[in-house]
């Protein structure tokens, strides 16, 4: 079996950098009473956060023996829901709040909408979770990158 730990650590470190960058952006944003940004300048923050989530999910899977080549398959590439599902199949528990946040953001991340088309009116309302939910989810996923969890 291939040793996935070095790659998992790389994903973990990159995810941490994306999370820290998102946190830096958060400090510049105005939030409404629900903790959601009031301006479109928050789009890069959501992109950074979803990419951090992807990297943390992949690191957690790699540390639990998931094959690196499988992570590159279409079903898992940029698909937060599929990555989360695989992690849960390994009997790793994730809170309902984090699952809901991931479910809400997965489509935006998978379709690269946060990078390209989130401002295009496709008739669907974009899900913008409160930032406290986003960072809570990221912190939980970060902890799941530990093998003992």
């Amino acid at each position: 079996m291939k040793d996935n730990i070095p790659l998992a650590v790389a994903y973990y470190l990159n995810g941490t950098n994306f999370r820290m960058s998102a946190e830096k952006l958060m400090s510049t944003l105005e939030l409404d009473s629900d903790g959601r940004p009031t301006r479109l300048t928050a789009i890069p923050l959501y992109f950074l956060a979803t990419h951090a989530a992807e990297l943390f999910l992949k690191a957690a899977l790699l540390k639990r023996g998931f094959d690196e080549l499988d992570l590159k398959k279409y079903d898992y590439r940029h698909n937060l829901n599929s990555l989360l599902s695989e992690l849960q199949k390994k009997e790793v528990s994730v809170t309902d709040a984090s699952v809901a946040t991931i479910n809400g953001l997965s489509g935006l991340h998978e379709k690269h909408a946060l990078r390209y088309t989130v401002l295009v009116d496709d008739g669907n309302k974009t899900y913008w979770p409160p930032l406290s939910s986003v960072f809570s989810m990221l912190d939980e996923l970060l902890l799941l990158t530990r093998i003992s969890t």
Side-chain angles (χ1 to χ4, degrees):
M1 183 167 108
K2 184 177 176 188
D3 180 7
N4 288 332
I5 300 302
L7 183 60
V9 170
Y11 282 5
Y12 159 82
L13 291 172
N14 280 328
T16 300
N17 285 327
F18 275 85
R19 188 216 178 277
M20 290 172 56
S21 295
E23 189 170 27
K24 193 80 157 170
L25 281 176
M26 183 178 70
S27 68
T28 69
L29 298 173
E30 289 180 30
L31 305 179
D32 67 15
S33 61
D34 293 325
R36 290 178 173 87
T38 59
R39 297 209 164 95
L40 294 175
T41 53
I43 292 169
L45 181 150
Y46 284 101
F47 169 74
L48 293 168
T50 57
H51 193 61
E54 177 183 354
L55 292 166
F56 291 155
L57 286 164
K58 287 180 174 181
L61 284 167
L62 287 166
K63 284 191 170 185
R64 287 166 178 83
F66 201 81
D67 188 74
E68 174 188 353
L69 294 176
D70 286 336
L71 286 179
K72 295 178 181 181
K73 291 182 179 176
Y74 181 78
D75 291 345
Y76 303 111
R77 295 186 68 202
H78 312 298
N79 189 326
L80 302 179
N81 285 335
S82 290
L83 294 167
L84 175 62
S85 177
E86 288 301 322
L87 192 58
Q88 290 172 317
K89 286 178 188 175
K90 295 194 173 286
E91 299 183 9
V92 176
S93 66
V94 180
T95 63
D96 291 342
S98 288
V99 170
T101 302
I102 291 167
N103 287 339
L105 292 171
S106 187
L108 291 172
H109 186 68
E110 181 182 4
K111 294 177 177 138
H112 309 292
L114 293 166
R115 287 194 276 176
Y116 304 114
T117 59
V118 74
L119 299 178
V120 175
D121 184 3
D122 62 0
N124 295 317
K125 186 167 170 61
T126 300
Y127 174 68
W128 301 110
L131 294 184
S132 61
S133 298
V134 171
F135 285 97
S136 177
M137 174 266 300
L138 289 175
D139 290 344
E140 182 176 352
L141 295 181
L142 177 65
L143 289 175
L144 296 179
T145 64
R146 298 184 335 213
I147 193 73
S148 61
T149 302

